[in-house]
Amino acid sequence: MSAIAGFHYHFYQPPREDPWTGLFNHEWSAWPYHDWNERIAAECYRAMVAVALPDEDGTTSLFEPLTQSSFDLGPTLHHWMVTFAPDVEHALQREVRGADHGASRVVVAAPLVHAIVPLATPTDQERLIAWGIDDFRSRYGEEPVGMWLPETGIDVASLEVMARHGITYTVLMPTQAQSTREAGGAWRDVAPDTIDTSLAYFVALPSGARMTVVFGHYDLSHRIAFGDLVADGTALADTMAAVVDGGEGVVLVVADGETYGHHHRFGDIGVAWATRMLQEKHHLATALGEWLLSHEPTHEVRLHEVSAWSCAHGVERWRSACGCVTGETPGFDLAWRAPLRQALDWLRENAGSALDWELGHHVHSSDAALLDYGKVIAGEWSAHDFVGRHQSRDLTDDERSRVLEICEAHRNLMFSFTSCAWFFADPGEIETSIVLRYAALALELTRRTTGRDFETPFVQHLEGVRSATYDVAGEALWQRACEGFRTDEVQIAAGAAAEYATCGEFARRVRGTWSIECGANEVGQVRVNLTNVLTQRKFTFLTHITHGDDLSLHVDISDTTMWRRVDLERLGADVVARVAMSRLLARGSSDVEGALSVLASDLLRRDANRDDEVTLLALASTPRYVTPVGEAAIRRALFAIAARDAPDAERGSLVALARAVGVGDTLHLSEVPQGLN
Ligand SMILES: [Zn+2]
């Protein structure tokens, strides 16, 4: 078999975690799921690991489309799966590691952060790619041979860095090719509809290295994403086979992996069926990486100087108002893109050099240390070993934490270039907000480690970043992105104490990126020892817990210099939910459904109060997936609160929840629907 017709899946979701804790905030828009990652995992990732296909004898068998294809899965998405969808991560690794020609012929690597590589500084290009390779190696136990660049954003420099790190091929779209020739022949200009995508090409790089490029099939890739091609797997396979037409070349359908099952319902079954048909009925190979083992490119391609698959203007979409946009709303404009890029470039340059200068006091080479930090992020090296290898003298515990804090500051600076921030029409949405949160944490860590504060000038640089949807700009936009999310060791310790006081031995010992030890002393205070898992920085606090009426609780906390009070509702939905479940049901219970039912029936017998609202919000936003029964209990509780006849203003925080469960308007009625009172 020398021809191939198959699929390349680009699996990726914008990162959503809270940089201060590593936890994921609830997203009502993904209801009944906790957040969009959970929802897409259920609809697509979990589905694509193994698809049940009917057999001729009337039974079904499981088909693994991923190992029969080619795919990339962003390291940030992998990172989420490890904690929140471990079943998917384990199944995927097991399948891929068992592939006939090894994992590296099925999966292609991706830079650690979904940043537009051509827009990064040369240093960051190197780190993005090296850190992505570290992630691949630690996950699959092999060096990668292929790499997918975010948004297929490339230029010569990024291809050179990839080649230097041992990458031999990448997948691009036909719009990125300028001209082609048979090796040594005459150049011929090409367009997306004239380039022969049945050939693999090579790019001759200035260094003398070669990079193989396989182009996705222009028409079929477009129709898979935006048409209904995947609705009929047999027809899809027949269509692809007809394009091969008995030839010897490649037909590669390239699309976001989420196309299958999430964007197109049951697309997972369609694409799995098509893959099996291509193999069994049309006798074609389907895995690109394996095919490339025996197909050295004979033709050369010249690429446009800089290009990407979702912008027609090079990589302008991620730095200017080029006009390419998704999610337009009335009154939107794209004038915010350039100042956002400039502000982050300014921060990278200024905070970056302050951090490098400080790091230079502790390690032999700041650059070498930071390049190796990818092995710590990937879990290949322990933080302890990493510092030991790079330190230029014996360091104290405080200095070791400082080294790690500097590396974390750099990691967060890198994450602040996540391309999704520029992709959509409005910078008030989560994709832009989250890069500002990464920047906020980078600023805090820079302040802590270098004593230099870049926040005020950075926020001034944001002046031209305006959200039309939320009518905020500059500092107000910055506050909106970060307020309510920033947390610190005091809040984390207070949350740990609240859990310890109500859950006892069932209290968590790890919460996101924090490890926790609690113990009561003889006068009834709770001592909390915290360690930041990433930086190894340790903190100790004394706390005193007061239980109020019903479910209310507050924590007085001291770092031995002064006491302050923190209310339960400030401690995070996950903490509130654990406290509430322990008080409503039993210590250490995680029965969200049971707690909701108790709360709902209780609220029909007595007046609800503010604490009930906090608890309800926490319980509704904690489970991965709210079952229909849980949803009914939430509705009942909401009606009970509405029945109090309290002013609407007091219910503001509940409106989003009410909308999610489909009773949004009812909450504003002064009368409760018949039969529920
Ligand atoms: Zn554009």
Side-chain angles (χ1 to χ4, degrees), residues 49 73 77-83 85-95 139-140:
V49 165
L73 199 152
L77 180 56
H78 257 311
H79 183 76
W80 176 83
M81 280 183 182
V82 168
T83 307
D87 57 320
V88 180
E89 177 73 17
H90 290 155
L92 195 139
Q93 286 205 22
R94 178 185 52 74
E95 285 178 17
R139 235 169 264 291
Y140 299 112

Side-chain angles (χ1 to χ4, degrees), residues 310-318 320-325 337:
S310 50
C311 176
H313 318 90
V315 291
E316 291 306 308
R317 182 170 189 154
W318 299 276
S320 77
C322 72
C324 300
V325 68
R337 279 185 184 164

Side-chain angles (χ1 to χ4, degrees), residues 185-254:
W187 286 103
R188 192 172 60 85
D189 282 354
V190 292
D193 54 347
T194 63
I195 183 173
D196 181 359
T197 55
S198 73
L199 300 168
Y201 294 86
F202 67 88
V203 178
L205 294 167
S207 64
R210 281 186 176 193
M211 181 66 63
T212 297
V213 174
V214 176
F215 292 99
H217 190 279
Y218 188 62
D219 178 53
L220 292 179
S221 299
H222 192 268
R223 283 165 60 196
I224 274 283
F226 303 106
D228 61 354
L229 206 53
V230 78
D232 182 341
T234 301
L236 173 57
D238 290 348
T239 306
M240 291 168 70
V243 176
V244 174
D245 194 22
E248 306 228 317
V250 51
V251 175
L252 188 68
V253 174
V254 181

